[in-house]
Amino acid sequence: MLERLGRIRDAHGAGVALGPLRVALGGMLLWQSLDAAHELTRLGYFGDHFHWPYLPEALVPSHAAYVAIVATRVCLAIMVLVGFACRPALTASGALGLYVLLCDRLQFHHNRYSLALFAVLVGLTPCDVSFRVVDGGGPPLPRTGPLWAVRLAQVQVSIIYLASGGSKLLDPAWRGGAVLADRIARHAHIAVAKGVPAWLVDYLARPASASALSKAAILTELALAFALWSRRMRVAALWWGVWFHVVIQLTTKVEVFSFLTVAMYAVFVTPDERTRQLRFDPTTALGQVIGLASRWLDWFARFDAKPWEPDDIEGAHAFVIVRRDGTRVTGLRAAATLTRCVPILFPLWAPLSLVAAFTRKGELSPTRDAASE
């Protein structure tokens, strides 16, 4: 056990995938802090009304101090977004968020607590090596760094799923679907406004449908708590989790919780950089699109993308991908690999991979270890 803890403590890896995560957290922190500023102007200072602090009342800030805290949180969120002193800014922003929640438990929501906690943890990771508008001068930052805080963030993601799924499992009203049916009915207008058909919302709010969905939600959360730790099951679990949270976001009101959880999936990305090769044909329209997408959408820096030179592959092909295990693929199999690695295309990965599994077309060399792709 001590040896394993030592390996976690000493683990190093590429931090490039943590840059997009930092930006996502910065955006959510900015939204949250601006919302707090709006509430301050609309409703006034919470300390002037009934509030319920965890801390002694003497530690609750004054009106002027709270205004300064809100202004500071806005500034810190902007620093996180642009990459200026972003690690201390991220940690400080999360710490201030936790402090405010301790000052008034009436403001507590699970997503607010989770956002503040994840901000503190990600601030302890090498999340400043990419996606920086402002570099602050000085020598270039190393592309790798310690990842022990990444492991803590992974544990926290699993704890959230385990606590959420476990509490629902122990609640008869949740297991039976009553809670979910009520939630869907109360938020029906929100779902319809987001484009969900009204007939589908009505169908999901029925007792039988809500009961089935409740059990599926409980099973999903408990499964994700453990499946994310399996190398064989992780990609499928992440894909299922993405669509799980898309459905939640479309049908209920959960503030930033779904966006936060999906963003935190970045901590499960393998910490390497450009270990796959992408070669595209710049003389074709599709090749040009692939080349452009590799520059703008490969946020985790999974591909070393370059225009190709003449090769010995038979037939027309707009792009070729060389996987981490050295195998080469084109066509549908290459598209599946691309969607697996590009975050914004990831929701398409499973159906593309399923179709590609029924054909050998596009496989240019024997697959040695598909799991290590």
Side-chain angles (χ1 to χ4, degrees):
M1 177 63 73
L2 291 178
E3 182 180 352
R4 185 170 185 178
L5 291 175
R7 289 199 300 270
I8 293 174
R9 178 198 62 197
D10 300 330
H12 273 62
V16 64
L18 299 171
L21 171 59
R22 187 204 77 239
V23 172
L25 292 178
M28 286 181 272
L29 289 168
L30 181 60
W31 177 86
Q32 191 180 82
S33 57
L34 290 175
D35 185 63
H38 176 69
E39 291 295 306
L40 183 60
T41 57
R42 187 173 66 92
L43 301 175
Y45 170 50
F46 73 87
D48 293 335
H49 311 288
F50 175 75
H51 60 285
W52 191 8
Y54 290 98
L55 298 174
E57 186 65 36
L59 298 179
V60 176
S62 65
H63 183 273
Y66 182 67
V67 170
I69 288 173
V70 172
T72 301
R73 292 178 66 188
V74 171
C75 294
L76 290 173
I78 294 173
M79 291 169 62
V80 172
L81 277 171
V82 302
F84 178 73
C86 49
R87 291 180 60 182
L90 195 57
T91 301
S93 181
L96 285 176
L98 291 173
Y99 170 65
V100 170
L101 294 180
L102 290 174
C103 290
D104 184 16
R105 68 183 71 189
L106 299 180
Q107 298 186 45
F108 180 89
H109 291 280
H110 291 98
N111 69 88
R112 298 178 185 178
Y113 166 76
S114 298
L115 176 57
L117 181 59
F118 282 131
V120 172
L121 291 176
V122 175
L124 301 174
T125 69
C127 63
D128 53 353
V129 302
S130 63
F131 281 72
R132 301 178 68 194
V133 178
V134 180
D135 59 18
L141 293 172
R143 304 294 289 179
T144 62
L147 300 179
W148 58 269
V150 171
R151 186 67 72 182
L152 293 180
Q154 292 173 340
V155 171
Q156 183 60 32
V157 171
S158 289
I159 288 175
I160 289 174
Y161 278 132
L162 190 60
S164 180
S167 63
K168 292 181 178 70
L169 180 64
L170 298 176
D171 185 348
W174 242 108
R175 290 199 312 270
V179 173
L180 188 58
D182 175 71
R183 181 177 295 179
I184 293 175
R186 285 189 291 110
H187 297 151
H189 63 287
I190 298 176
V192 172
K194 292 179 179 179
V196 181
W199 65 265
L200 180 58
V201 176
D202 293 338
Y203 178 78
L204 296 178
R206 295 177 183 176
S209 302
S211 177
L213 285 174
S214 294
K215 294 174 177 59
I218 293 170
L219 180 61
T220 293
E221 290 184 329
L222 294 178
L224 287 173
F226 298 99
L228 291 173
W229 294 89
S230 168
R231 290 183 62 86
R232 289 183 175 276
M233 300 174 62
R234 183 176 300 150
V235 177
L238 291 171
W239 181 84
W240 185 260
V242 167
W243 280 109
F244 176 65
H245 287 288
V246 167
V247 172
I248 291 175
Q249 191 65 36
L250 289 175
T251 57
T252 59
K253 185 178 180 180
V254 290
E255 294 189 10
V256 300
F257 180 70
S258 292
F259 296 107
L260 173 61
T261 308
V262 171
M264 288 307 301
Y265 284 172
V267 299
F268 291 96
V269 172
T270 303
D272 56 22
E273 184 176 358
R274 308 201 186 282
T275 54
R276 302 165 181 82
Q277 299 177 34
L278 188 153
R279 300 293 181 259
F280 58 91
D281 184 356
T283 65
T284 66
L286 179 57
Q288 292 173 5
V289 170
I290 295 297
L292 185 64
S294 67
R295 286 195 296 271
W296 290 99
L297 302 180
D298 186 17
W299 302 334
F300 295 157
R302 314 313 278 165
F303 295 102
D304 174 22
K306 296 178 182 177
W308 69 27
E309 298 178 356
D311 54 44
D312 57 355
I313 303 173
E314 296 181 0
H317 46 281
F319 68 107
V320 176
I321 288 179
V322 182
R323 298 166 171 157
R324 287 192 302 195
D325 64 356
T327 58
R328 297 185 299 168
V329 287
T330 62
L332 195 58
R333 287 179 174 267
T337 302
L338 198 64
T339 56
R340 177 186 174 119
C341 300
V342 175
I344 200 170
L345 301 178
F346 186 61
L348 304 175
W349 166 74
L352 273 177
S353 294
L354 180 62
V355 175
F358 287 96
T359 176
R360 296 292 298 177
K361 187 177 180 180
E363 189 78 38
L364 305 176
S365 49
T367 302
R368 291 193 287 271
D369 185 8
S372 65
E373 177 179 303

